[in-house]
Amino acid sequence: MVIALILTGGFATRLRPLTLTKPKALLPILDKPLLDWIIEGVKKASIKDVILSVRYLSHLIKSRYGDGSTYNVNIRYLEESKPLGDAGPLRLAFERGEIEGTFLTIYGDVFSDLNLLDLINYHKKKGGIATLALAKVEDPLRYGVVVLDDEGKVKSFIEKPKERPPSNIVNAGVYVFEPEVIKYIPSKYPSKISLHLIPKLLEVGDVYGYVHEGIWSDIGVPIDYRRANYMALKKLYPNGYIDKTAEIGDDVEIINPAFIGKNVIVGRGSKLGPLTVINEAVRIGTSCRIKGSIVMMGTLIDDSVVIGDSIIGEKSFIGKWVRIEDGVVLGDEVVIDDEVFIARNAIILPFKEVTSDVREEGKVVL
């Protein structure tokens, strides 16, 4: 029986300010947390036993998922008392008797429609010590790059190559491991799967790659997080989605694909989309223009606001005639006063009130 170990304990510093108030795995993709999507994928593979490796803001994950009964899986928690890296929880799980046989390991920051059952069956057919799920990307320099032979065996694995990468096939952050891999994980923490474990496995056994051709994105930085939402939107709702409880005013223009969640109110004359996600209980005033953006749950946006290609955290308030340029990220419960201008790529930390223009591009407002 295969068990799924999902790694959710990281600090996710590159996603701040969003991750100052919640772990990365709880950031929403469309209308539900990323971890919900991952658990649903595990369940579709007929896997009932899930271990969540947790540390940073672990109470938020535990309070949402509990014992897993709401999700029709059995969830146990592996609490990290200190940072273990992404390989350390594998060893810890075995030392505590949580895992004995073949197991899945899934990064908690990956959004994908990968069929996990197909991956497991491929692993069993090949008979190797490990199988890596792989994806094709346009910018492989940011990832672990893999070269395969004609049989699907991994010939080389280069973590974030500094020079021209030998392929555009990269580590997708989902693995099937046999239990003997544990003896190749360093006993000293922290340790990394890509730096310490995979290179060693390539020396001692057969490691295979399974190339996934569908949706795949990590959410390591804000632009990746937006991209994951765009992918989900285009795949699941190419013609857009408006929840039946949403109230859409007169003369509102929606350019699809766009996602309008539960109990959203959009004032007359506003224009939304494309590639825009409006989460539950957001209220948008009249004559607003929002495109390419994610507006999280409970945010209030007053009249005549313009927001482009940005992320607005939960329960924020955006005053009248505010203009938010591309690439801005607001943490949760930010207040922006009327007529304020926010320059491109600015970052505003949670609970901050902004009373004057932010003219410097990329400025961090503490």
Side-chain angles (χ1 to χ4, degrees):
M1 181 176 63
V2 176
I3 288 177
L5 172 61
I6 305 173
L7 306 175
T8 67
F11 290 108
T13 55
R14 295 181 301 156
L15 263 176
R16 291 177 179 171
L18 301 174
T19 50
L20 288 172
T21 47
K22 62 174 65 68
K24 182 162 50 173
L26 292 187
L27 290 175
I29 302 294
L30 301 184
D31 59 344
K32 56 190 175 187
L34 172 57
L35 188 52
D36 278 30
W37 294 94
I38 295 172
I39 290 173
E40 286 176 7
V42 167
K43 190 167 60 175
K44 287 178 183 177
S46 299
I47 296 172
K48 295 288 291 182
D49 292 313
V50 176
I51 299 171
L52 297 182
S53 176
V54 295
R55 184 169 187 264
Y56 175 64
L57 298 178
S58 61
H59 65 285
L60 296 177
I61 291 177
K62 290 179 177 180
S63 64
R64 178 175 179 86
Y65 296 98
D67 63 2
S69 56
T70 303
Y71 298 83
N72 294 316
V73 293
N74 305 313
I75 293 179
R76 302 191 302 276
Y77 295 92
L78 193 69
E79 188 88 39
E80 301 176 28
S81 59
K82 60 182 180 181
L84 302 179
D86 57 14
L90 281 62
R91 172 177 281 278
L92 184 60
F94 270 82
E95 290 173 348
R96 294 184 178 178
E98 298 282 359
I99 298 176
E100 296 178 351
T102 303
F103 65 101
L104 270 173
T105 297
I106 305 172
Y107 290 160
D109 63 353
V110 169
F111 177 72
S112 178
D113 60 356
L114 171 66
N115 187 313
L116 296 175
L117 184 57
D118 287 350
L119 173 66
I120 293 166
N121 288 337
Y122 177 88
H123 171 77
K124 291 178 179 177
K125 177 182 176 182
K126 290 297 184 179
I129 193 172
T131 298
L132 284 61
L134 306 172
K136 295 180 180 179
V137 298
E138 295 181 359
D139 181 20
L141 289 171
R142 297 173 51 202
Y143 305 98
V145 176
V146 175
V147 177
L148 302 173
D149 68 13
D150 294 339
E151 300 298 320
K153 188 182 294 185
V154 176
K155 292 174 58 180
S156 66
F157 181 92
I158 307 167
E159 178 65 8
K160 296 179 182 177
K162 296 180 180 179
E163 300 178 355
R164 191 181 197 126
S167 82
N168 70 331
I169 299 173
V170 303
N171 179 13
V174 182
Y175 312 89
V176 188
F177 289 125
E178 292 303 314
E180 54 262 38
V181 303
I182 299 305
K183 62 186 177 184
Y184 301 110
I185 298 174
S187 56
K188 292 183 178 180
Y189 301 125
S191 56
K192 303 284 288 183
I193 292 174
S194 58
L195 293 178
H196 303 114
L197 180 57
I198 299 301
K200 187 64 178 178
L201 295 182
L202 290 174
E203 294 177 4
V204 301
D206 292 335
V207 177
Y208 288 90
Y210 176 88
V211 181
H212 172 58
E213 299 285 354
I215 291 175
W216 181 84
S217 179
D218 71 358
I219 62 165
V221 295
I223 193 170
D224 294 332
Y225 175 55
R226 290 205 332 259
R227 185 183 298 116
N229 274 272
Y230 299 163
M231 286 181 173
L233 187 52
K234 289 189 284 188
K235 174 67 180 290
L236 299 173
Y237 302 106
N239 298 316
Y241 172 83
I242 301 176
D243 190 85
K244 63 183 180 181
T245 61
E247 298 179 23
I248 309 299
D250 296 335
D251 301 319
V252 169
E253 181 181 358
I254 297 176
I255 305 172
N256 287 317
F259 183 96
I260 313 296
K262 295 178 182 178
N263 300 313
V264 168
I265 298 174
V266 183
R268 60 180 175 77
S270 289
K271 183 176 181 179
L272 308 180
L275 298 176
T276 296
V277 176
I278 309 297
N279 285 155
E280 181 177 352
V282 169
R283 299 184 64 177
I284 298 171
T286 61
S287 303
C288 292
R289 177 68 178 108
I290 303 173
K291 68 175 184 68
S293 297
I294 302 166
V295 183
M296 294 189 185
M297 182 177 65
T299 285
L300 303 181
I301 298 174
D302 215 327
D303 301 337
S304 302
V305 170
V306 177
I307 302 174
D309 298 342
S310 294
I311 304 170
I312 311 300
E314 287 185 4
K315 300 178 182 177
S316 292
F317 176 80
I318 314 297
K320 291 182 175 68
W321 306 295
V322 166
R323 183 179 183 92
I324 297 176
E325 294 284 270
D326 293 356
V328 171
V329 183
L330 269 61
D332 290 346
E333 300 189 44
V334 168
V335 174
I336 300 182
D337 286 359
D338 293 350
E339 301 184 48
V340 166
F341 172 85
I342 308 293
R344 291 170 60 92
N345 300 320
I347 293 174
I348 301 177
L349 270 61
F351 316 116
K352 178 69 179 179
E353 182 176 3
V354 181
T355 59
S356 59
D357 291 353
V358 178
R359 292 282 175 180
E360 180 184 341
E361 292 191 6
K363 182 177 178 61
V364 178
V365 180
L366 302 174

